[in-house]
Amino acid sequence: MADRREFIKTSAVALGAVSLEGPRSLGGTDGVPRPPAGQAAKPLRMLVLGGTGFIGPHMVEYALERGHEVTLFNRGRTDPHLFPEAEKLIGDRNDDLTALEGRQWDVCMDNNANIPRWVRQSTEILKDSVQHYVYVSSLSVYSDSATVGQDETGPLMELPPDHPPDDERITGETFGAFKAIAERTAQAAFPGRCLVVRPTLIVGPRDRSDRFAYWPVRVQRGGEILAPGDGSTLTQYIDVRDLAQWMVRMAEAAETGVYNGLGPRSPITIAELLHGIRACVSNVELSFTWVDWDFLLSQEVRPWMEMTTVVQDSSEMAGFSTFTNHRAVAKGLTFRPLYQTVLDTLDWWHGRPEEARAQPRAGLAPEKEERVLAAWHARSSG
């Protein structure tokens, strides 16, 4: 990867021992049986902006299990059948927020705003009718990817000085800056009443980016698997259910401030991740071939989008997968075992439409992987 800007551009614009035969038939949104969530000490009136995409369904399901009264606000186009017990308001964050007027809620969960205007418009309407605002931002707000072990006080991205004020296109130069502006907008509208969460790569059932799913699916297919670098590159991710459920509990406690929402609990390398996935899928013959980054780049293999969940080892990106999660852990963020995320992701993947599985949005295409491996072996034997 040439630089941080290219990483942000590709990640932002590209906008995810039991039987693995098919999707599980029990449980809720993700199909996974689990014990009851338990009741919240005080039920909340919770407004969720969106609620039927990726983070939203897991959040809404958990909130309902906790006894909260949930209202969804969205366009009514994506999975409108979900959550018949929840109130549903139809509108559009781009140009129609009238359904939010004249209402009262205890907390608003804003999961899907990537441009500042959406946050500005929603907070203008809700600042006097909602007690607590939770905004889901991104680690991409940080302008420094070189420093190892950054916490929530790191410097943030800014728009270029000549950026037109009405230009809302999401690019490598604007994605992180837009998120940072949106954070400040929410905090200004809800002083002392705003929680900002900055997640890393969010993974698990319903993740249609395919960035994490690539590895479990590829390992399950078996054979010779091209793997990046020497295996020492660090990676960070968070299971969507751990993130969503923690945010609901944070809302119950009316927590405020800024938190990095990321896992795993301890640092993990790409080699540890892939061998952990392999341990979950032990009924196939496979091998990993580790190919150095210089060769991968010479073969036009892209970090993050083709060699997913990692970026190229470089001094400029040395801190990318080393952000700290100490504040969030101290406030109760927990992490399920890797095998649960892997198996549940595979079950969800196999239940997707065939056309979606045939054309994943991320990962290395089989024919390209075969070509790069052949070139690597030819060079090694030459």
Side-chain angles (χ1 to χ4, degrees):
M1 179 168 296
D3 55 24
R4 184 180 191 277
R5 180 182 301 176
E6 182 61 21
F7 158 71
I8 296 293
K9 180 179 180 180
T10 56
S11 61
V13 177
L15 288 157
V18 298
S19 170
L20 299 179
E21 295 302 318
R24 296 185 175 101
S25 58
L26 300 175
T29 299
D30 52 29
V32 181
R34 59 180 178 273
Q39 296 292 295
K42 178 184 177 182
L44 300 175
R45 295 167 299 168
M46 181 177 294
L47 170 65
V48 179
L49 303 180
T52 58
F54 178 29
I55 302 175
H58 300 287
M59 175 180 289
V60 172
E61 182 176 57
Y62 186 71
L64 291 171
E65 290 176 355
R66 298 279 287 171
H68 300 302
E69 179 183 325
V70 179
T71 299
L72 306 183
F73 173 84
N74 54 54
R75 295 177 297 175
R77 298 176 185 176
T78 302
D79 292 337
H81 63 282
L82 291 178
F83 311 117
E85 65 272 50
E87 179 186 23
K88 298 178 181 179
L89 302 178
I90 303 300
D92 192 323
R93 297 197 70 175
N94 197 52
D95 56 15
D96 182 10
L97 300 176
T98 54
L100 299 178
E101 297 174 355
R103 298 290 304 273
Q104 299 282 327
W105 289 279
D106 297 307
V107 60
C108 173
M109 314 294 282
D110 186 348
N111 300 326
N112 63 0
N114 288 330
I115 57 176
R117 177 172 58 87
W118 287 8
V119 178
R120 184 176 66 252
Q121 291 174 339
S122 62
T123 55
E124 181 64 29
I125 290 177
L126 298 172
K127 63 183 180 181
D128 296 323
S129 58
V130 170
Q131 297 301 311
H132 188 206
Y133 200 89
V134 179
Y135 177 63
V136 180
S137 184
S138 168
L139 286 183
S140 294
V141 297
Y142 294 111
S143 59
D144 178 9
S145 294
T147 301
V148 173
Q150 284 192 87
D151 62 14
E152 289 82 354
T153 63
L156 304 185
M157 294 282 286
E158 299 286 349
L159 287 174
D162 58 349
H163 183 81
D166 59 347
D167 186 350
E168 297 180 334
R169 291 175 297 174
I170 297 176
T171 69
E173 290 184 326
T174 64
F175 178 70
F178 280 169
K179 282 287 192 179
I181 295 170
E183 288 183 8
R184 293 192 291 269
T185 300
Q187 291 164 333
F190 286 81
R193 299 183 290 141
C194 182
L195 171 65
V196 172
V197 177
R198 296 169 178 165
T200 184
L201 177 65
I202 307 172
V203 306
R206 298 185 68 89
D207 174 19
R208 295 179 177 86
S209 78
D210 300 326
R211 283 173 291 189
F212 180 83
Y214 170 73
W215 289 120
V217 171
R218 180 63 191 90
V219 169
Q220 190 179 46
R221 195 166 75 238
E224 184 182 15
I225 300 173
L226 190 155
D230 61 3
S232 65
T233 307
L234 291 173
T235 181
Q236 289 183 317
Y237 56 88
I238 181 84
D239 188 295
V240 62
R241 296 159 294 183
D242 294 330
L243 179 67
Q245 293 170 17
W246 174 69
M247 286 194 293
V248 169
R249 296 192 300 270
M250 292 287 278
E252 292 171 359
E255 296 286 356
T256 60
V258 180
Y259 295 84
N260 291 337
L262 58 90
R265 183 65 180 86
S266 301
I268 186 172
T269 66
I270 186 63
E272 291 170 326
L273 175 64
L274 295 189
H275 285 289
I277 293 172
R278 178 178 186 172
C280 302
V281 188
S282 58
N283 59 339
V284 294
E285 183 176 345
L286 61 86
S287 63
F288 295 113
T289 297
W290 297 91
V291 178
D292 69 57
W293 283 108
D294 288 341
F295 188 82
L296 290 175
L297 294 177
S298 73
Q299 298 292 309
E300 298 183 343
V301 175
R302 296 175 296 158
W304 193 253
M305 292 308 298
E306 289 184 310
M307 289 287 93
T308 65
T309 74
V310 290
V311 297
Q312 177 196 3
D313 293 329
S314 68
S315 58
E316 184 180 2
M317 300 297 289
F320 174 70
S321 287
T322 70
F323 290 97
T324 65
N325 58 8
H326 303 322
R327 294 194 72 222
V329 170
K331 288 293 186 178
L333 178 60
T334 57
F335 311 98
R336 67 195 61 214
L338 175 62
Y339 77 86
Q340 290 185 2
T341 301
V342 170
L343 296 178
D344 296 344
T345 298
L346 279 171
D347 279 1
W348 172 78
W349 169 271
H350 290 299
R352 298 184 72 189
E354 182 177 353
E355 57 270 23
R357 289 183 283 119
Q359 295 183 321
R361 296 181 178 181
L364 194 60
E367 58 276 10
K368 186 172 182 178
E369 179 186 34
E370 183 177 354
R371 175 178 60 79
V372 175
L373 283 170
W376 174 254
H377 290 310
R379 193 192 77 160
S380 301
S381 61

